[in-house]
Amino acid sequence: MRKKIVAANWKMNLNQSTANTLLEGLATIENAACEVVICPSFTLLSTAQSKLPSNFSLGAQNVHPAPEGAFTGEVSASMLKDMKVKYCIVGHSERREYFAETDAFIAEKIKSLLSNGITPIFCCGENLQIRQNNSHQSCVESQIRNTFSLFTAKDIESVVIAYEPVWAIGTGMTASPEQAEEMHLHIRQVWKDMFGETAAAQLSILYGGSCKADNAASIFAMPNVDGGLIGGASLKLDEFKVIVNACK
Ligand code: PGA
């Protein structure tokens, strides 16, 4: 279902003490008009699960596609389900770049999440060189087509997409609202071509990449932007509050 979402990607940050403080602060966010999803590291899932305001959702940052077995250091979708995790980020550019994750491997993760009732937040986005070559639309389109080619419209009903231009992540260089809207519209058209009109109309597409208190409202105001995936700014309570309140 198409809904407004602000998801916090805490990445490899915080400890029990600093996470507790931030979670207590999050409880002061009232009447959010969007769904707020908090994605902490695995070690903080339990803390977040017990401390999260009841109207917020818990997310994870990674999953291994296998159901169980000899995969030292990995966590399965059923383990996440056991922790009441509702969302999981997949395809993040940091995992593509530092852990060599391919579209095919990301598709396996998505399959496993969906079969455990967890909503994948699928990240896609082009690097700076591709943007400068003006190939950004075809780059993102092929990430989506390669990943979802074996899925049906029924399979992908709950999937959320996050458009995250790599050149904007953690750099302070945000896409303009027009650049975000252009890509989000393109993603919706690709989704329509692959899965039909209803699936495209129902798809939530989030923007991520240096989304901050001072630019969130103008990005979220675009017709095809349904919220944001927030990294650095989600670690600062005051900043994150403004972003959540900008999403309506
Ligand atoms: P950023 O990260 O907001 O710090 O740019 C976003 C993300 O990587 O999800």
Side-chain angles (χ1 to χ4, degrees), residues 9 11 89 92-94 123 164 168-172 208-212 229-234:
N9 178 7
K11 307 194 181 184
I89 298 168
H92 194 281
S93 64
E94 287 150 14
C123 302
E164 298 206 308
I169 296 176
T171 59
S210 298
C211 188
K212 311 262 186 230
L229 178 56
I230 318 299
S234 73

Side-chain angles (χ1 to χ4, degrees), residues 146-165:
N146 290 344
T147 306
F148 290 97
S149 61
L150 299 176
F151 289 80
T152 66
K154 183 92 194 107
D155 295 334
I156 55 77
E157 269 173 0
S158 72
V159 169
V160 170
I161 293 187
Y163 168 55
E164 298 206 308

Side-chain angles (χ1 to χ4, degrees), residues 43-54:
T43 60
L44 294 170
L45 278 178
S46 172
T47 305
Q49 196 226 312
S50 59
K51 279 272 169 81
L52 214 54
S54 59

Side-chain angles (χ1 to χ4, degrees), residues 122-136:
F122 170 76
C123 302
C124 52
E126 80 287 353
N127 65 27
L128 186 59
Q129 195 187 355
I130 292 172
R131 167 68 56 174
Q132 284 166 343
N133 290 342
N134 206 28
S135 318
H136 46 288

Side-chain angles (χ1 to χ4, degrees), residues 99-185:
F99 303 95
E101 291 194 2
T102 62
D103 292 331
F105 188 58
I106 294 163
E108 290 300 311
K109 292 180 174 208
I110 293 170
K111 216 186 297 170
S112 179
L113 289 170
L114 292 174
S115 67
N116 282 279
I118 298 172
T119 296
I121 301 177
F122 170 76
C123 302
C124 52
E126 80 287 353
N127 65 27
L128 186 59
Q129 195 187 355
I130 292 172
R131 167 68 56 174
Q132 284 166 343
N133 290 342
N134 206 28
S135 318
H136 46 288
Q137 291 198 347
S138 60
C139 167
V140 168
E141 178 166 346
S142 60
Q143 287 173 333
I144 293 173
R145 287 189 184 276
N146 290 344
T147 306
F148 290 97
S149 61
L150 299 176
F151 289 80
T152 66
K154 183 92 194 107
D155 295 334
I156 55 77
E157 269 173 0
S158 72
V159 169
V160 170
I161 293 187
Y163 168 55
E164 298 206 308
V166 180
W167 47 270
I169 296 176
T171 59
M173 263 167 73
T174 320
S176 68
E178 294 71 27
Q179 285 173 319
E181 173 61 17
E182 178 200 46
M183 185 63 87
H184 285 222
L185 178 62

